[in-house]
Amino acid sequence: YTFSMGANLLAIGSYLIEAEVMYPSDDYNENDTTSVSFVNTPLIVVTNATPYLQNFETDNGNWYGAGKNSSWEYGTPASYKINRAASGSKAWKTRLAGNYNDDETSYLESPCFNISSLVMPFVEVDLWWDTEDNWDGLQLEYSLDGISWTQLGDIGTGENWYTNDAAALGYEFGWVGTGPGWVTSHHDLSFLAGATYVKFRFKFAADGIYNFDGIGLDNFNVQDPFDNDLGVIELLSPVSGPDLTAAEAI
């Protein structure tokens, strides 16, 4: 069957498309219906003049949670440990007021970014983690096509980047165990310079028993380093004096 007019799917947001076939001689209805769901997110062009600085205060930033037993929620954190945002009052968290789910493999996925004009891009994010040590944890992945995903970095490849491996992550490195509170984590993205399409997602995985406060996430930034605008414009004093040797000047 061909529809005479296609659906308008340009609006940003979540979609669920369902189709059902009704055939007169078919009395087995269990396989008559199929569905597909997807999220339409904006493409954000990141430049030196317009870096991506998302503090999630206005709204959820067009980020969304997905995956198996996902507990990702947007709002004001109110769990026992993770009980505030890193800045302002809003953030993303695995269950705002409570613990994450057992047997969870979930994702918090970003909008799409065009970073083709950036020369030395980096990513920075504020995180607070409280998970079952050695078993549950979080890692950051990136994709250039929205289909294939690659883990970003390894333990110690960035500032405050990953802490340990976790069984639920397939014994790969991530933010695991109990962190000290809100921590700013930073990683180089220069290998992605020139990319016209890149997405990020935080992968959270937990085993089947024991759950904790989980993950708080706030202030996600993608940008080039700021220009170094420090410099001597004028020497006001002394106006004159004895010549100084290089050692004395230092």
Side-chain angles (χ1 to χ4, degrees), residues 179-249:
W182 285 108
V183 171
T184 300
S185 297
H186 175 107
H187 203 284
D188 173 60
L189 294 177
S190 59
F191 66 96
L192 293 177
T196 57
Y197 178 98
V198 61
K199 294 191 74 172
F200 300 94
R201 72 179 187 183
F202 288 89
K203 177 184 178 180
F204 177 72
D207 65 6
I209 57 173
Y210 304 121
N211 49 55
F212 296 77
D213 266 28
I215 306 295
L217 187 151
D218 203 355
N219 298 323
F220 187 89
N221 304 333
V222 177
Q223 62 186 86
D224 263 344
F226 289 115
D227 292 335
N228 184 357
D229 58 357
L230 299 178
V232 176
I233 299 174
E234 183 180 4
L235 182 61
L236 299 178
S237 178
V239 177
S240 63
D243 292 337
L244 299 178
T245 66
E248 290 172 331

Side-chain angles (χ1 to χ4, degrees), residues 10-11 28 46 56 153 238:
L10 294 177
Y28 182 74
V46 185
F56 301 110

Side-chain angles (χ1 to χ4, degrees), residues 12-15 37-42 52 56 59-67 70-74 92-93 106-112 146-147 149 197 199-203 217:
I12 302 301
S14 300
Y15 291 87
S37 60
F38 61 92
V39 179
N40 188 10
T41 61
Y52 182 75
F56 301 110
D59 52 38
N60 64 13
N62 290 307
W63 289 64
Y64 61 95
S70 175
S71 61
W72 286 105
E73 294 177 344
Y74 164 74
W92 278 92
K93 186 186 174 298
S106 61
Y107 305 94
L108 181 63
E109 193 162 328
S110 78
C112 310
I147 300 173
W149 295 88
Y197 178 98
K199 294 191 74 172
F200 300 94
R201 72 179 187 183
F202 288 89
K203 177 184 178 180
L217 187 151

Side-chain angles (χ1 to χ4, degrees), residues 5-18:
M5 182 179 295
N8 185 345
L9 306 177
L10 294 177
I12 302 301
S14 300
Y15 291 87
L16 172 63
I17 298 177
E18 295 181 325

Side-chain angles (χ1 to χ4, degrees), residues 135-182:
W135 296 97
D136 308 341
L138 177 82
Q139 58 188 198
L140 179 58
E141 301 177 320
Y142 68 91
S143 175
L144 299 176
D145 58 10
I147 300 173
S148 300
W149 295 88
T150 302
Q151 179 181 325
L152 178 60
D154 212 328
I155 190 167
T157 58
E159 182 180 355
N160 298 318
W161 206 257
Y162 301 156
T163 60
N164 202 351
D165 62 5
L169 290 172
Y171 293 100
E172 295 176 342
F173 288 111
W175 289 279
V176 180
T178 300
W182 285 108

